[in-house]
Amino acid sequence: MILNEFDIKELAGWLRKSGESPFRARQIFKWLWQKGESDPLSFTDLPMALREKLTSQFEIGRVKVVEAFRSGDGSVKFLIELLDGEKVESVFIPEADRKTVCVSSQVGCPLRCAFCATGLMGFTRNLKAWEIAGQVLVIRKHLGLERVTNVVFMGMGEPFLNTEETLRAVRILNEPWGLGIGARKITLSTVGIITGIRKLLAFDKQVKLALSLHTAIQEKREKLVPIARQYPVSALKEALIDYYERTRRRITVEYVHLPEINDTDEDVEALGEFLNGMKAKINLIPFNPHPKLPFRPPAEDEVKAFLEKLYRLPHAVTLRKSKGRDVRGACGQLAIERI
Ligand code: SAH
């Protein structure tokens, strides 16, 4: 059995049943997640008998770095192997004031958005919470960082098709016995799975929500993001208004710029309509090309022209400077090539 598959309450329960003090759970989790220690025998503040019991009854689940690709811009793309040999990618993105890790929540992705490379590899399985949080831990260790300041769930997969494990991972990332990353520095990015947005409302941590919208015109969105058939733009808007009214938190809207496709006046108008009633930040992401994807990246003047139109909306607008393009570590470029 894998020790870190337990959450802290479950571990306390196991300790109680084994005749140990449940308060040891916190100590054990500090070793596992704060210090990143993998050998229970070195958990020096536990009685030796308990250390031995842990060693004989459990395995400690760790993910491992198999390759690191350093980009010229300072970001690093990691190929990470899971216990069953499956692989995911995670990206480290350093900036002046933050050190962000972009994690994967699934091996592959079932959504098949028209412009995203991850969809091309299909879906294999969901990640466990410890495999998601483990990506941050292993990258922190690999790079010898004192701390990671931000985590974004923008790697492979759709976090809200794996909501329970995603929220468990957020807990590990946030708790003081875990990686101690502030909840507001953790961003969950979704294609718009409404059930997940609702579950997030019931979650007790103030994480940030990002929505990958790409267009607010229903027919067009269905072509770009097939799951839009199941979660139409109108229902999505309702869910987000509800989210905004209950939390008063600003929502980030990610918008991949596909020139001549989703940058028309009609798109801008529909976007304005969609965001009416909530506070949002529009994050424009120029399409990152991939040889197997049938789109072209926008030219600089196209990005500028689109930005000018977006600036007319009563919302903050930012341009994402994609990092790691040279190592295919930028948004939408994560895909494991299988032989
Ligand atoms: N499934 C979630 C999490 C993945 S986030 C979601 O869709 O939000 C990855 C982000 O990169 C999403 O906003 C996605 O739309 C964007 N993206 C995908 N392919 C891209 C590409 N080729 N160029 C730029 N951004 C892309």
Side-chain angles (χ1 to χ4, degrees):
M1 210 156 85
I2 293 176
L3 182 59
N4 38 354
E5 209 147 283
F6 282 145
D7 68 19
I8 199 157
K9 273 196 199 130
E10 292 162 347
L11 179 56
W14 178 86
L15 286 161
R16 194 176 294 112
K17 260 194 264 154
S18 318
E20 304 280 349
S21 162
F23 302 108
R24 299 279 184 208
R26 200 182 165 82
Q27 277 171 296
I28 295 171
F29 268 38
K30 273 192 177 178
W31 283 105
L32 289 179
W33 291 110
Q34 221 177 51
K35 305 196 178 76
E37 186 56 67
S38 294
D39 176 10
L41 291 177
S42 61
F43 297 178
T44 47
D45 55 0
L46 301 184
M48 193 45 103
L50 176 56
R51 290 189 232 170
E52 280 166 358
K53 205 187 281 180
L54 292 175
T55 308
S56 65
Q57 297 201 15
F58 296 101
E59 187 181 348
I60 291 178
R62 293 292 186 213
V63 302
K64 77 174 188 234
V65 169
V66 274
E67 249 181 299
F69 307 88
R70 281 178 190 267
S71 159
D73 62 24
S75 60
V76 189
K77 179 173 91 168
F78 289 91
L79 182 63
I80 289 180
E81 190 175 271
L82 311 171
L83 284 185
D84 60 358
E86 290 296 341
K87 294 184 185 75
V88 292
E89 289 176 337
S90 325
V91 188
F92 172 70
I93 309 152
E95 283 164 299
D97 53 344
R98 48 180 123 165
K99 293 185 166 48
T100 303
V101 173
C102 173
V103 295
S104 292
S105 55
Q106 302 182 311
V107 181
C109 184
L111 293 175
R112 295 185 185 278
C113 299
F115 46 80
C116 180
T118 306
L120 297 172
M121 60 180 284
F123 170 72
T124 306
R125 71 168 173 88
N126 280 331
L127 294 193
K128 290 283 185 186
W130 65 268
E131 295 176 308
I132 300 172
Q135 294 165 48
V136 181
L137 188 67
V138 85
I139 288 175
R140 191 185 78 185
K141 276 193 153 181
H142 186 97
L143 296 174
L145 303 172
E146 205 171 305
R147 46 186 270 113
V148 166
T149 63
N150 296 61
V151 175
V152 294
F153 284 66
M154 296 182 186
M156 295 174 162
E158 167 53 45
F160 285 164
L161 289 179
N162 185 18
T163 313
E164 198 178 318
E165 295 299 320
T166 290
L167 297 180
R168 278 173 83 134
V170 168
R171 224 174 263 295
I172 300 170
L173 294 170
N174 172 250
E175 290 290 344
W177 50 254
L179 283 96
I181 299 167
R184 288 190 188 81
K185 307 258 163 108
I186 300 174
T187 303
L188 299 184
S189 178
T190 180
V191 75
I193 310 286
I194 294 175
T195 45
I197 298 172
R198 300 229 182 273
K199 280 185 201 153
L200 185 60
L201 269 174
F203 188 57
D204 59 325
K205 309 241 177 232
Q206 311 243 306
V207 294
K208 286 212 269 188
L209 178 64
L211 168 72
S212 294
L213 186 65
H214 316 309
T215 178
I217 300 171
Q218 177 65 18
E219 309 79 70
K220 201 182 280 192
R221 191 162 195 265
E222 286 181 14
K223 291 200 187 105
L224 297 176
V225 178
I227 194 91
R229 271 175 234 139
Q230 200 175 326
Y231 300 103
V233 170
S234 52
L236 197 50
K237 175 176 167 114
E238 244 172 70
L240 287 181
I241 295 262
D242 184 39
Y243 175 90
Y244 175 68
E245 284 177 353
R246 292 216 240 157
T247 62
R248 295 276 145 192
R249 273 179 247 154
R250 183 166 84 168
I251 297 152
T252 297
V253 169
E254 293 158 284
Y255 202 107
V256 173
H257 186 184
L258 303 165
E260 297 176 287
I261 294 177
N262 64 356
D263 58 358
T264 66
D265 291 343
E266 249 187 313
D267 286 289
V268 178
E269 196 182 317
L271 180 59
E273 187 98 344
F274 180 83
L275 296 178
N276 191 11
M278 55 186 122
K279 199 168 162 196
K281 180 178 86 175
I282 302 160
N283 192 207
L284 187 65
I285 316 170
F287 170 70
N288 288 311
H290 187 280
K292 292 194 182 135
L293 296 172
F295 299 100
R296 66 170 176 93
E300 223 169 282
D301 59 330
E302 286 175 308
V303 175
K304 242 177 145 184
F306 191 29
L307 279 174
E308 287 303 325
K309 289 188 205 171
L310 293 174
Y311 288 148
R312 285 184 219 135
L313 299 174
H315 298 282
V317 178
T318 53
L319 176 65
R320 188 178 296 177
K321 297 243 164 18
S322 279
K323 290 207 164 199
R325 263 198 195 192
D326 54 346
V327 291
R328 280 210 198 137
C331 308
Q333 295 187 311
L334 304 184
I336 313 271
E337 270 134 54
R338 290 170 212 241
I339 307 153

